[in-house]
Amino acid sequence: MREFFISALLDVGVSLTLQSAKGDYICITTLPPRWSLPQDGELTDTLIFGEEVGQRLMTLKESLRAPGDKAEIEVLVPDDCAFDFRCSMIQMTDGATYLMTTVIDRTEERRRERLLRALLREVSHRSKNLLAIIQSIAFQTARYSGTLEGFLNKFRGRLHSLSQSQDLITDSSWRGAYFKDLLTQQVEKYVPENRGLVHFSGENVLLSPNASLHIGLALHELAVNAVSHGSFLRQHSAIEVSCRRSVAAEGEMITVTWNEPFSAKPEPETEAAKPKFGSTVLERVVPASVNGRASLEFHGGRLVYELVFPVEAAD
């Protein structure tokens, strides 16, 4: 039976010591490995736990005088370990009074608490960033929408794009999202029966959470524009999308290219007179968010969007 209780104490990281009312050690079970019993001499708190911890324990125990008195201290030791020492005066059936000390290993619990606090700070930070993005999208969408209905339709689509990207980020434990997954999400929503017309090539780069949100929004704008104004469905001609690494003068870069058939090129003067939210996102907002540069051009009957940004922005 004694061995059973000792095994149970070991499993939960708890140690017990029992002393007489005068402080003489009677029993010590499952002492934490960082402390060991001396081979010779009378057992004392300082001999077992060291000078600093021992003095604190002695002071604590001296304050306990009658059965039922309790007190505890937390001990932080090197290697980022933490222990709770809980002392109490107890009276046995024979009427004698004893001092019982429970030593509880709180190291893992403290580490989990620190990790949780760090995660909560990270969630708070990312939530604020996401709200800022949503606020910007709402403002810019309203700016370029002629009617309330038009605003709501466009704003809902852009919010849905953000929520899809956020799902990918969350599923990866906040590491980010893979480029191909972002592309697949946007294509399947707007061309579910023709997703085979969008061809991907290159490297499936893991993007940072910030890059995932903004590049996902860019892919949303490109997909919506392709369905609304492009000619790839009518011509049954594929859109070519690539993501590649390259080395430039400024270092290692990632280049994202969207190349689609677009036979109806808007007039330059019309574009200048009536700017659209989509081009603002593609040419200004997204490249700025990843410290990169972008171009949106029409040539050879095709619309080509190219985004170039440093690898660091993706990590």
Side-chain angles (χ1 to χ4, degrees):
M1 184 64 69
R2 179 175 177 272
E3 288 76 11
F4 170 80
F5 284 112
I6 292 177
S7 298
L9 291 173
L10 283 170
D11 285 341
V12 295
V14 175
S15 304
L16 290 178
T17 69
L18 189 67
Q19 296 170 265
S20 68
K22 295 181 179 180
D24 299 327
Y25 272 94
I26 300 172
C27 178
I28 300 176
T29 65
T30 63
L31 196 65
R34 70 176 310 104
W35 293 299
S36 59
L37 297 177
Q39 298 297 320
D40 301 312
E42 182 181 355
L43 294 179
T44 64
D45 290 333
T46 54
L47 282 176
I48 298 173
F49 299 105
E51 188 68 27
E52 181 180 351
V53 176
Q55 288 295 331
R56 291 180 63 190
L57 279 175
M58 290 173 61
T59 302
L60 180 71
K61 292 174 180 178
E62 287 173 358
S63 66
L64 307 179
R65 303 185 181 280
D69 289 350
K70 298 179 180 181
E72 64 179 87
I73 58 172
E74 181 183 60
V75 174
L76 301 177
V77 293
D79 303 327
D80 204 25
C81 296
F83 296 87
D84 282 350
F85 284 74
R86 299 178 180 178
C87 303
S88 58
M89 295 295 290
I90 59 174
Q91 190 171 44
M92 298 294 192
T93 54
D94 59 1
T97 301
Y98 296 88
L99 178 62
M100 184 177 69
T101 301
T102 305
V103 185
I104 304 174
D105 189 346
R106 296 293 190 190
T107 302
E108 286 304 315
E109 181 180 328
R110 296 293 188 273
R111 287 174 180 169
R112 287 194 295 269
E113 289 175 355
R114 286 194 295 273
L115 177 60
L116 180 59
R117 285 195 294 269
L119 288 174
L120 289 175
R121 286 194 298 270
E122 182 68 11
V123 169
S124 176
H125 173 70
R126 296 192 185 280
S127 297
K128 291 176 182 178
N129 286 346
L130 186 58
L131 289 173
I133 295 172
I134 293 172
Q135 183 181 37
S136 175
I137 290 174
F139 175 78
Q140 295 293 343
T141 304
R143 182 180 179 186
Y144 297 122
S145 298
T147 64
L148 177 60
E149 183 179 359
F151 165 80
L152 291 176
N153 287 336
K154 294 176 182 178
F155 186 59
R156 288 193 191 104
R158 286 156 185 162
L159 279 187
H160 183 69
S161 169
L162 284 178
S163 69
Q164 286 185 308
S165 299
Q166 186 62 50
D167 285 342
L168 291 176
I169 294 169
T170 303
D171 289 343
S172 70
S173 300
W174 296 86
R175 292 187 302 126
Y178 286 97
F179 178 82
K180 190 175 181 180
D181 293 336
L182 290 171
L183 176 64
T184 300
Q185 277 188 338
Q186 302 306 325
V187 168
E188 287 187 342
K189 175 174 174 58
Y190 293 101
V191 287
E193 297 177 358
N194 295 276
R195 55 180 176 269
L197 289 177
V198 180
H199 299 166
F200 171 75
S201 62
E203 184 176 349
N204 190 18
V205 176
L206 177 63
L207 302 168
S208 69
N210 175 66
S212 298
L213 291 175
H214 286 89
I215 293 177
L217 185 60
L219 292 171
H220 163 81
E221 296 299 324
L222 289 165
V224 170
N225 184 72
V227 172
S228 303
H229 306 291
S231 53
F232 85 105
L233 290 178
R234 184 173 63 254
Q235 297 178 356
H236 210 69
S237 179
I239 295 174
E240 303 293 339
V241 182
S242 66
C243 180
R244 303 184 188 280
R245 293 176 185 261
S246 62
V247 178
E250 57 266 52
E252 189 175 5
M253 309 294 285
I254 294 175
T255 301
V256 172
T257 305
W258 174 286
N259 189 323
E260 68 166 285
F262 203 101
S263 58
K265 174 185 173 182
E267 292 298 327
E269 58 271 16
T270 304
E271 289 184 302
K274 190 178 181 181
K276 299 295 184 181
F277 173 80
S279 61
T280 301
V281 168
L282 295 171
E283 296 180 283
R284 293 169 52 191
V285 176
V286 172
S289 70
V290 292
N291 298 319
R293 59 183 183 275
S295 62
L296 180 63
E297 300 177 349
F298 299 91
H299 51 74
R302 302 188 72 85
L303 179 150
V304 179
Y305 175 70
E306 184 176 86
L307 171 66
V308 182
F309 58 96
V311 170
E312 292 76 16
D315 294 337

